[in-house]
Amino acid sequence: MSAATLVPTTAPDTEEEADLRATARDIARRCRDTAGEDHSGCWSALDGAGFTQLREADEDGSPLATATMTAIVVEELAGAVCGAPLVGALLAGELARLAGASLDAPATVLLTEDLAGLTVDGTGLAWDAGPPLRHALALSGHDLLVVDLGDPTGTQDLSRSVARPSGGTRRLAAGPSADALGRFGSFARLLLAADLLGTAGRLFADAVEYAKQRIQFGVPIGSFQAVQHLCGRAYAEVEALRSAVITAAWALDAHAEHRETSLVAKSYAARTGVEIVEHAVQVFGGVAITWEFPAHRHLRRALLDAEVFGGAEATADALLALVDQEATDGPE
């Protein structure tokens, strides 16, 4: 049976995945309720649930949780626009595991200045570097380094900080192999696609509920054809994005064509994630452009997520180059 035959559909979560989603959703709900700048309580809840260690190595070297489970947690927390640096910590844990190393303390990753990928010279910008993360993993030549970070600063994404190296470094291990770095890139693209699914999908769900309740001219605005068209298109985009994320996660777990599926997921997410949020903003109308309303936080997160580890055009070009290379090389 071919690998394509085994690709999953958007079927419901397994019982274990449903329990994991319920726990993550509860933490996300509490985060939404507090809606403050301090997310230390969210981090403590995530750490207590073991979510910050999902990709650390088990006894046999495999990750403690599957890529599918990890994507579920990221999606749920993104729906609350949670500011705890979960994705950065998961990426650092994955990079350390692939290098056969372990971390003494949670860290994030050092990226290039445009946030398009891992740095290769030990310099750059640490992304998702909010408290309590004070270190970042960085590639430099053939080494994997732990880099001390300076004070975090804000970005257009109000839920995430960046930080620059403060000067202190130490060698952690030899850098991962080329194949391992390829898997890391696929995992990183998956997490960003899942984050976009979460932040866009949650705001869209809220917009649908708003359309049922907001009354204009004596009827709910959801009865207007224009609003129905907006919601219908956004729904189709959310479900297509969900399918792309599920497939990319499955490919990593099944050791299948993870590069192709992750590039498809990230390229599609980078474009449609922003579009879904924009559709939701249109449904909400004028209230959505006020500072007090959360829509702008979702939009800011989606706009920056779209560029991290490659924007829509860059990932689409990488996918086309990969397809051309495979066509030239022929079947193995």
Side-chain angles (χ1 to χ4, degrees):
M1 184 178 292
S2 69
T5 309
L6 297 173
V7 172
T9 64
T10 52
D13 297 334
T14 66
E15 184 176 351
E16 187 178 11
E17 291 166 356
D19 289 343
L20 186 80
R21 188 183 293 277
T23 302
R25 185 167 292 178
D26 180 62
I27 297 173
R29 178 190 56 77
R30 283 180 276 156
C31 180
R32 283 168 65 96
D33 289 345
T34 55
E37 296 298 323
D38 182 6
H39 290 269
S40 57
C42 301
W43 176 267
S44 296
L46 292 169
D47 194 48
F51 290 163
T52 59
Q53 297 92 33
L54 289 174
R55 295 302 283 185
E56 291 185 3
D58 204 344
E59 293 180 358
D60 62 356
S62 62
L64 292 172
T66 65
T68 299
M69 290 180 171
T70 308
I72 286 172
V73 174
V74 168
E75 176 193 346
E76 292 297 331
L77 270 294
V81 199
C82 180
L86 175 65
V87 176
L90 290 172
L91 290 174
E94 178 79 347
L95 188 59
R97 183 185 65 82
L98 290 170
S102 59
L103 295 171
D104 297 330
T108 184
V109 288
L110 203 64
L111 304 183
T112 55
E113 291 289 336
D114 60 0
L115 304 180
L118 288 172
T119 182
V120 294
D121 61 0
T123 65
L125 195 63
W127 173 76
D128 203 13
L133 306 188
R134 302 296 299 166
H135 309 280
L137 296 190
L139 294 176
S140 180
H142 298 292
D143 294 328
L144 180 63
L145 307 177
V146 177
V147 179
D148 296 339
L149 298 177
D151 293 335
T153 58
T155 67
Q156 71 179 36
D157 176 2
L158 300 180
S159 63
R160 287 193 170 116
S161 302
V162 295
R164 294 196 177 277
S166 62
T169 63
R170 65 179 176 87
R171 183 181 184 275
L172 180 65
S177 66
D179 286 345
L181 283 175
R183 288 189 62 82
F184 174 82
S186 296
F187 178 74
R189 290 188 289 269
L190 166 67
L191 291 201
L192 268 298
D195 206 89
L196 279 157
L197 171 61
T199 193
R202 179 70 262 170
L203 189 66
F204 166 70
D206 290 346
V208 170
E209 290 303 311
Y210 180 81
K212 295 177 183 178
Q213 300 169 15
R214 176 72 167 92
I215 303 298
Q216 274 191 352
F217 308 109
V219 296
I221 63 171
S223 64
F224 300 151
Q225 191 176 58
V227 175
Q228 292 173 358
H229 285 174
L230 274 176
C231 291
R233 178 174 178 180
Y235 175 78
E237 289 175 335
V238 168
E239 290 306 301
L241 177 51
R242 189 181 310 281
S243 181
V245 168
I246 289 173
T247 304
W250 164 84
L252 273 166
D253 291 333
H255 299 277
E257 296 86 353
H258 59 84
R259 290 184 298 172
E260 294 90 333
T261 54
S262 69
L263 285 167
V264 168
K266 182 55 169 64
S267 181
Y268 187 71
R271 178 170 57 86
T272 59
V274 175
E275 288 182 356
I276 293 164
V277 174
E278 291 174 342
H279 293 329
V281 167
Q282 287 183 277
V283 174
F284 281 117
V287 68
I289 60 174
T290 62
W291 182 261
E292 295 79 10
F293 200 76
H296 72 99
R297 297 180 66 89
H298 289 261
L299 181 58
R300 288 166 180 270
R301 183 148 172 158
L303 285 168
L304 194 56
D305 270 0
E307 299 304 317
V308 180
F309 285 99
E313 292 186 6
T315 46
D317 289 345
L319 177 62
L320 290 174
L322 182 59
V323 171
D324 287 344
Q325 178 185 345
E326 292 176 347
T328 301
D329 294 344
E332 295 182 359

